[in-house]
Every structure is written in structure tokens, then in C-alpha cells.
Amino acid sequence: AKRPAQADAHYELGVTLEQGGDVAEALVEMEAAARLRPDWMPAQLALGNLFARLNKMTDAERAYREAVKLEPKSGEARYALGSALARREAFAEAIAELSAAVAREPDHVKARANLGNCLLVTGRIGEAIACYDEVLRRTPGDAQVMENRAVALELARARVVPR
């Protein structure tokens, strides 16, 4: 309140409000942070995350695109954008963004799992299985990934036609 033009103060307050469950007020603060420092990628990314939590996916995607534009090498920004694109079934774009996220951050298992999901729904079953295998190598026992891998294996078997 003493320094309303400080973007970092709005950002930190937004994070605190979100952690406390007040997503609507967190959004107000994060919008202020992003408005005051439009070139600050963490604020754009956090803004996108808040929009996504409120299921305002057009706004989330816009903020994520801005975050990627500001820091193209950010695996987290690419993951967020890829996930938003997947939610609206823009799978080709989602695969590109999620692949970029994994290339930048190979240990980002959520990005790799989402990439596997996008590959699976677009019929790239072998690649999906490879993604799931890598996720399971890094995080053994992930039930959802194991289930998705089983579906992919079943689809792969169904495609094999004996001669």
C-alpha cells in the first residue's frame, strides 16, 4: 500500500493470496505486477497460472505466450503454454511447446507426461510410449502415467495386423 508502483510487491502479495486460496484477489495483484512490469516473465507466468485456475483459458494462453516471448528458453513457460494449448486441443502447437520444454528441462516430468498424452491422442503411439517410459524411469510408480502407457500399448497392439 505504501508503494503501489512496485511490481515485486504486487507479485509477492499475489503469490501469498493464491497460497491462501484467494485466487480472485491474487489475480488482481498479479495483473498489477504484470501491468507495472510487462517485461517480467515470472509475473506473466504467474498471471497465466491464475487465469488457468479460474478456467479463463484464453487469458491464460495470452499470458503464457507473453512469458515465452519474454524468456524463450524457459522450460516452465513452454510447459504452461503447451498445457494450455492441449486443453483447447491445439495438439500440434502443444506438442511443439511441450517438446521445447522437455528439450530445455529434460527432468520436467509433467511436461514429458503431457507431451506423451498429446502424442497419444494424435496417433503417434510409439513416441507416446517412449515419453511415458522416460517419465516412469524418472518417477517410478506414477499411476496415471502407467495407465496412459497401458492404453498406448493396447492401441499399438491393436494396430498390428498379423499376416
Side-chain angles (χ1 to χ4, degrees), residues 4-15 26-51 59-60 62-64 66-67 70:
Q6 285 193 344
D8 57 337
H10 288 284
Y11 176 88
E12 292 300 330
L13 181 54
V15 168
L27 180 62
V28 170
E29 294 301 327
M30 208 55 71
E31 285 179 314
R35 185 177 57 255
L36 291 166
R37 277 193 59 198
D39 62 339
W40 191 22
M41 191 282 289
Q44 292 294 335
L45 182 59
L47 184 59
N49 291 340
L50 289 165
F51 279 130
D59 293 324
R62 186 185 70 250
Y64 292 146
E66 187 60 28
L70 292 169

Side-chain angles (χ1 to χ4, degrees), residues 98-139:
L98 293 166
S99 294
V102 168
R104 284 160 178 77
E105 295 181 24
D107 291 332
H108 200 309
V109 293
K110 288 182 180 179
R112 195 176 297 274
N114 282 1
L115 175 58
N117 296 340
C118 290
L119 292 166
L120 182 61
V121 299
T122 58
R124 295 165 63 178
I125 298 168
E127 293 171 84
I129 292 168
C131 278
Y132 297 142
D133 286 345
E134 186 59 25
V135 170
L136 291 171
R137 188 182 73 72
R138 293 168 188 271
T139 56

Side-chain angles (χ1 to χ4, degrees), residues 13-86:
L13 181 54
V15 168
T16 301
L17 288 165
E18 181 184 18
Q19 290 170 346
D22 193 346
V23 179
E25 282 304 309
L27 180 62
V28 170
E29 294 301 327
M30 208 55 71
E31 285 179 314
R35 185 177 57 255
L36 291 166
R37 277 193 59 198
D39 62 339
W40 191 22
M41 191 282 289
Q44 292 294 335
L45 182 59
L47 184 59
N49 291 340
L50 289 165
F51 279 130
R53 283 191 65 185
L54 294 168
N55 205 31
K56 295 181 176 186
M57 295 311 296
T58 301
D59 293 324
E61 188 178 321
R62 186 185 70 250
Y64 292 146
R65 285 187 187 281
E66 187 60 28
V68 167
K69 184 174 125 188
L70 292 169
E71 285 189 31
K73 293 182 179 180
S74 168
E76 192 60 29
R78 297 271 181 180
Y79 161 68
L81 177 56
S83 296
L85 290 163

